Amino acid sequence: MDNKFEVSLPIPSSIPGIVWPVVPTPKAAQLLSQLYYFSMSEKFSPTQLLNFQLAQMVELVNFARSTVPYYRDKYAHFPAIHHADQLRDIWSDLPLLTRQDVQQAKDNIFTQQPIPSHEPSELMTSTGSTGMPVTVKGNVATQFFWNALTVRDHLWHKNDFSKSYAVIRFTENPAAQPPHGAVFENWGPATYRVVPTGKCHHLTICTTEEEVKWLREINPHYLNCNPSTLRELTQYFAEHGGIPSHLSMIHTNSEIVEPDLRKLVKEVLNIPLIDTYSTKELGYIALQCSEHEHYHIQSENVFVEVLNEQGKQCEIDEPGQVVVTSLHNFSSPMIRYFVGDYATLGAPCPCGRGLPVIKRVLGRQRNVLKMPDGRRIWPSFASNGIRLMDMFAGAQFQVIQKTLTEIQINLAHIAPFTVKQEDELRSQLQFVFDYPFTFIFNYLEKIERGPGGKYEDFKCEVL
């Protein structure tokens, strides 16, 4: 195995006058050590990865059942676990943890005996985009792995830390309001005091015109935003031009990246779109591969299962529910936590990394199109060359299934179609959805976002 470790982090020296070899600060040394280990562990075989994960989960499960009231009750009937083979044998019998379970458990999901070296901890609440926000605790350990994996993501995609970074995301910080937004001297807590960086510009979500004006003004090298924000920006640039000249890569998270968005970004912006899969409760779940559009599960941080309706591990390309165990959170252990998302697994990646592959994150259960014949389909807004983003060019659109036979199309920032145009669009939509749904068009001034500025382009309201 080639364990050559290559990293070009501009680590500052902690001793004045000594610039080579660099003597890093303790924080930087700890980060470099973890990144070095990542350079080896990402090449482990599936068996090696699982063995290390099981060893860590033995520690986690035993700690949870002895110090966390929720698990003390739930795991009371399970035998004592002394080694990984025992845990492997009973793992699938451990009950799933749902969002509702976490809500109902309240403080009982927190340890009553915090590990001193993991403190301080702090409460973290999810955005509640599902209508069910959950509150857990994060701590020094979870923050460290968040920071390390953030830097791993930058290194995988060869980001230049000296360049400028821009973020468009909902925030209550009044300084981040348009037209100028907030300016910070570094990219954020993941790199602060460890890796010197260029400036970071932050703008809260606002109108597309305001966002475009801001981007043109600061002309960043990198942009981080929600996929829905990216879609609106890209459609604007497709119509009006004026793409910021320095923009060389876009990072997305928080929402589902549809294949048609990747195509749109490639057609209009001609720069890479790099997505990450994470949640507030768990941290990083998977990072996009540096050579492909699929994702590598961050096995050093989480243990991921993709389960079918029978509770069995899905085969490649079989949609299933994402169940995640956070390996290092001893403040509020999340063991076999049903995130609420569905995904498909992929084949081993030819890039050389042994980290398991998530081929595609499909979305939440309410993002499934329900057909009258009982089938459930993950909608793709493109079929045989027809794409919704072309049909509604320049518009913000949202598709809502109201009944098994009726779908409503919400449209904003576009002039109403004529009756004839609507009839033509209905024919195309029936072709895209492969069923003669009744399509109703609603023309709105604005399509509201959900909590945390998240946006869903498809929702099923059929119970």
Side-chain angles (χ1 to χ4, degrees):
M1 180 185 297
D2 179 10
N3 287 333
K4 183 179 180 182
F5 177 58
E6 294 183 359
V7 62
S8 57
L9 294 178
I11 301 293
S13 182
S14 62
I15 300 179
I18 298 180
V19 296
W20 185 86
V22 166
V23 181
T25 64
K27 284 183 178 292
Q30 194 175 35
L31 175 71
L32 282 170
S33 175
Q34 193 63 60
L35 290 170
Y36 174 71
Y37 183 80
F38 284 170
S39 74
M40 296 186 293
S41 59
E42 66 185 36
K43 297 176 182 177
F44 287 170
S45 70
T47 299
Q48 286 177 297
L49 284 172
L50 180 58
N51 286 339
F52 281 118
Q53 289 180 312
L54 283 168
Q56 178 62 32
M57 290 189 291
V58 168
E59 297 292 322
L60 180 70
V61 170
N62 284 334
F63 179 84
R65 71 190 302 180
S66 64
T67 74
V68 180
Y70 174 85
Y71 293 104
R72 185 182 298 135
D73 176 59
K74 290 291 184 180
Y75 293 176
H77 63 287
F78 288 103
I81 300 169
H82 301 291
H83 51 76
D85 287 340
Q86 285 179 294
L87 183 59
R88 191 197 311 264
D89 291 340
I90 68 168
W91 183 259
S92 61
D93 296 324
L94 298 181
L96 297 183
L97 175 69
T98 67
R99 300 178 75 89
Q100 187 175 14
D101 290 333
V102 178
Q103 285 183 319
Q104 292 177 345
K106 298 182 179 178
D107 289 358
N108 284 335
I109 201 70
F110 305 147
T111 180
Q112 295 178 328
Q113 300 175 33
I115 300 175
S117 59
H118 288 215
E119 293 297 300
S121 59
E122 61 178 359
L123 295 176
M124 303 186 302
T125 301
S126 67
T127 59
S129 59
T130 62
M132 297 179 65
V134 297
T135 298
V136 301
K137 284 185 178 181
N139 57 36
V140 172
T142 58
Q143 184 62 52
F144 172 74
F145 279 96
W146 174 273
N147 292 347
L149 292 172
T150 296
V151 179
R152 171 191 252 182
D153 189 40
H154 289 312
L155 292 174
W156 275 10
H157 301 287
K158 296 181 172 56
N159 291 160
D160 184 340
F161 291 96
S162 69
K163 303 297 185 182
S164 59
Y165 203 91
V167 178
I168 300 177
R169 195 165 302 284
F170 174 76
T171 176
E172 296 180 355
N173 180 3
Q177 295 293 320
H180 303 300
V183 183
F184 302 93
E185 292 303 312
N186 56 72
W187 288 5
T191 53
Y192 179 57
R193 295 177 182 167
V194 177
V195 184
T197 69
K199 292 185 177 181
C200 181
H201 304 261
H202 195 166
L203 184 73
T204 193
I205 291 175
C206 45
T207 67
T208 304
E209 289 75 15
E210 289 172 321
E211 291 166 355
V212 167
K213 184 178 180 181
W214 178 75
L215 285 172
R216 288 172 175 168
E217 176 184 318
I218 64 174
N219 197 12
H221 295 86
Y222 305 113
L223 171 64
N224 186 301
C225 63
N226 293 339
S228 57
T229 297
L230 176 58
R231 184 184 294 276
E232 294 167 6
L233 290 170
T234 306
Q235 289 175 331
Y236 186 96
F237 287 128
E239 184 175 352
H240 302 283
I243 301 169
S245 59
H246 290 164
L247 194 59
S248 59
M249 184 177 293
I250 294 176
H251 292 265
T252 57
N253 49 39
S254 299
E255 300 169 356
I256 303 303
V257 172
E258 297 290 349
D260 73 306
L261 177 58
R262 291 189 183 276
K263 294 178 182 178
L264 179 65
V265 169
K266 184 175 182 179
E267 291 170 3
V268 178
L269 304 180
N270 195 32
I271 59 176
L273 189 171
I274 308 301
D275 190 41
T276 61
Y277 180 31
S278 64
T279 71
K280 188 81 169 180
E281 312 96 284
L282 300 163
Y284 286 108
I285 299 174
L287 301 178
Q288 184 176 321
C289 179
S290 59
E291 300 177 23
H292 304 276
E293 292 181 354
H294 56 231
Y295 306 78
H296 283 289
I297 293 171
Q298 298 303 284
S299 298
E300 302 93 344
N301 189 53
V302 289
F303 176 67
V304 175
E305 303 166 82
V306 179
L307 305 179
N308 59 25
E309 293 181 358
Q310 291 73 44
K312 305 296 184 181
Q313 183 77 348
C314 289
E315 301 294 332
I316 291 174
D317 290 328
E318 178 188 3
Q321 60 182 9
V322 179
V323 175
V324 181
T325 298
S326 178
L327 298 179
H328 310 114
N329 190 343
F330 285 71
S331 294
S332 51
M334 307 293 283
I335 302 173
R336 303 202 79 202
Y337 175 59
F338 176 33
V339 179
D341 291 332
Y342 284 73
T344 56
L345 294 170
C349 185
C351 75
R353 299 183 180 96
L355 300 172
V357 170
I358 289 180
K359 187 173 183 179
R360 186 181 169 198
V361 181
L362 298 168
R364 299 192 178 272
Q365 189 169 17
R366 69 182 185 191
N367 301 129
V368 180
L369 176 67
K370 297 181 179 178
M371 304 296 284
D373 62 6
R375 289 179 297 144
R376 297 188 176 193
I377 299 172
W378 294 99
S380 175
F381 298 146
S383 179
N384 294 330
I386 299 178
R387 305 183 301 182
L388 264 65
M389 67 180 185
D390 295 328
M391 295 168 62
F392 308 126
Q396 180 187 24
F397 68 85
Q398 184 179 56
V399 181
I400 300 180
Q401 184 178 16
K402 291 290 187 178
T403 71
L404 287 175
T405 58
E406 180 186 309
I407 290 179
Q408 295 193 9
I409 311 291
N410 292 333
L411 295 167
H413 313 306
I414 192 171
F417 294 111
T418 65
V419 173
K420 181 179 179 181
Q421 288 173 325
E422 285 190 358
D423 288 341
E424 292 174 349
L425 288 168
R426 287 189 180 95
S427 297
Q428 295 181 62
L429 287 166
Q430 289 173 355
F431 186 70
V432 170
F433 285 88
D434 194 28
Y435 187 82
F437 289 104
T438 297
F439 291 96
I440 297 174
F441 296 92
N442 302 316
Y443 301 97
L444 310 174
E445 289 188 7
K446 182 181 181 180
I447 300 176
E448 296 295 336
R449 293 176 176 269
K454 292 187 177 182
Y455 178 80
E456 291 176 296
D457 52 17
F458 177 84
K459 290 193 296 185
C460 176
E461 296 183 353
V462 180
L463 299 178

